[in-house]
Amino acid sequence: MSTEDVLYRIGEAVDSGIRRLVDFIHPSPSEEPPSFRYLGRLVKKRFTAHEYLSLKLQLAFLSYLIPNLILLFIKASPLWLVCVAVVYFLYLRYTLVRNREFFVEHEPYRFFYYAISLISLAVFLGYLVIRKIATSIYHYYAYLLAAFAVVMAFRWYFKQRYGRDYTYGVVEEIKGDAVRVFVHDDIAANVKPGHYWVDAVGDLEVGRVVKLIVGDRKLKGAVPVRIIEVYLTDQSSQSSTEPKEETE
């Protein structure tokens, strides 16, 4: 390989790296569905793009918390916490913006993860301050109570702004008086993705979208309990469960 070829390839690699970096810092919504090659191998379940994106956000948040806890344990400089936060928030923004069109409902996820991540950063940095000025163990107790109160206040605000007592599902199986529906991950209704059995109603067919009332369970998330509306347009469980206008 000639020197000219080597320099040409180095130039191409540098140019490609710069373009990827710019795209990472200033992402734009993609029209192509995201690929979940590695995550799909890890989960080994048939999920929709929405479910994979939700799982990706959860794993990213967990991957953000663990290094911060380690940094607090080894009493690292606050600058390290800030550096980790910058990388994480850039990745969070890239994931949310790049895949905006592939969430069933984008806004609640965007608000939740930005807010809970900012609260976490504030809690970590606040702990560093408390560790320097605290003169009694009760100062730590008071700080933990204050942090818990902030989290609970955020949870209340999120439920007031985005929370709802219903979700949508797709009919996949009908057995007598019972019907199995597939429900997407729904952060607004606090429902985990999966298949749920509920009582059947009239006008049900496999593939139809249904609206379901959810029952809240303390600290366990909500579950669909009853169908309240049937939408006439058939859909696959691997597509969005956003309903059409025709209903019964």
Side-chain angles (χ1 to χ4, degrees), residues 56-110:
K56 197 172 184 179
L57 291 174
Q58 294 174 45
L59 292 175
F61 182 62
L62 183 62
S63 298
Y64 168 64
L65 293 181
I66 292 176
N68 279 287
L69 292 173
I70 294 174
L71 290 172
L72 291 179
F73 180 76
I74 64 176
K75 299 182 179 180
S77 167
L79 184 60
W80 284 103
L81 294 178
V82 174
C83 290
V84 171
V86 169
V87 174
Y88 166 71
F89 276 98
L90 284 174
Y91 176 79
L92 181 63
R93 180 172 180 266
Y94 175 83
T95 302
L96 288 167
V97 174
R98 185 71 173 171
N99 303 292
R100 177 183 300 165
E101 302 302 322
F102 303 99
F103 285 93
V104 172
E105 194 174 3
H106 174 262
E107 180 58 25
Y109 287 86
R110 187 185 72 86

Side-chain angles (χ1 to χ4, degrees), residues 56-247:
K56 197 172 184 179
L57 291 174
Q58 294 174 45
L59 292 175
F61 182 62
L62 183 62
S63 298
Y64 168 64
L65 293 181
I66 292 176
N68 279 287
L69 292 173
I70 294 174
L71 290 172
L72 291 179
F73 180 76
I74 64 176
K75 299 182 179 180
S77 167
L79 184 60
W80 284 103
L81 294 178
V82 174
C83 290
V84 171
V86 169
V87 174
Y88 166 71
F89 276 98
L90 284 174
Y91 176 79
L92 181 63
R93 180 172 180 266
Y94 175 83
T95 302
L96 288 167
V97 174
R98 185 71 173 171
N99 303 292
R100 177 183 300 165
E101 302 302 322
F102 303 99
F103 285 93
V104 172
E105 194 174 3
H106 174 262
E107 180 58 25
Y109 287 86
R110 187 185 72 86
F111 178 83
F112 178 85
Y113 280 99
Y114 277 144
I116 199 65
S117 299
L118 286 172
I119 290 173
S120 299
L121 177 60
V123 168
F124 290 138
L125 294 175
Y127 178 79
L128 293 180
V129 175
I130 290 295
R131 190 163 61 187
K132 288 185 176 181
I133 66 175
T135 57
S136 168
I137 190 65
Y138 294 107
H139 290 146
Y140 290 96
Y141 292 155
Y143 180 73
L144 290 176
L145 286 175
F148 178 76
V150 170
V151 172
M152 290 296 101
F154 164 70
R155 182 175 182 271
W156 175 86
Y157 179 77
F158 181 82
K159 290 184 70 175
Q160 293 299 311
R161 182 171 179 175
Y162 296 107
R164 41 185 166 77
D165 60 356
Y166 63 88
T167 189
Y168 298 98
V170 179
V171 176
E172 290 204 342
E173 185 179 356
I174 302 173
K175 284 189 175 181
D177 294 331
V179 56
R180 188 179 72 158
V181 296
F182 172 81
V183 176
H184 284 288
D185 180 88
D186 190 343
I187 198 171
N190 196 26
V191 173
K192 299 300 181 184
H195 296 88
Y196 298 88
W197 286 95
V198 295
D199 292 337
V201 297
D203 300 308
L204 281 180
E205 294 180 8
V206 172
R208 284 191 173 179
V209 175
V210 293
K211 185 176 183 180
L212 304 110
I213 287 289
V214 298
D216 194 18
R217 300 180 300 173
K218 299 298 182 183
L219 304 179
K220 292 184 178 181
V223 294
V225 295
R226 180 165 55 89
I227 295 173
I228 58 173
E229 202 165 354
V230 179
Y231 296 85
L232 298 183
T233 304
D234 293 353
Q235 294 192 15
S236 164
S237 64
Q238 299 307 302
S239 65
S240 170
T241 53
E242 292 177 332
K244 310 303 180 186
E245 293 183 357
E246 297 178 292
T247 63

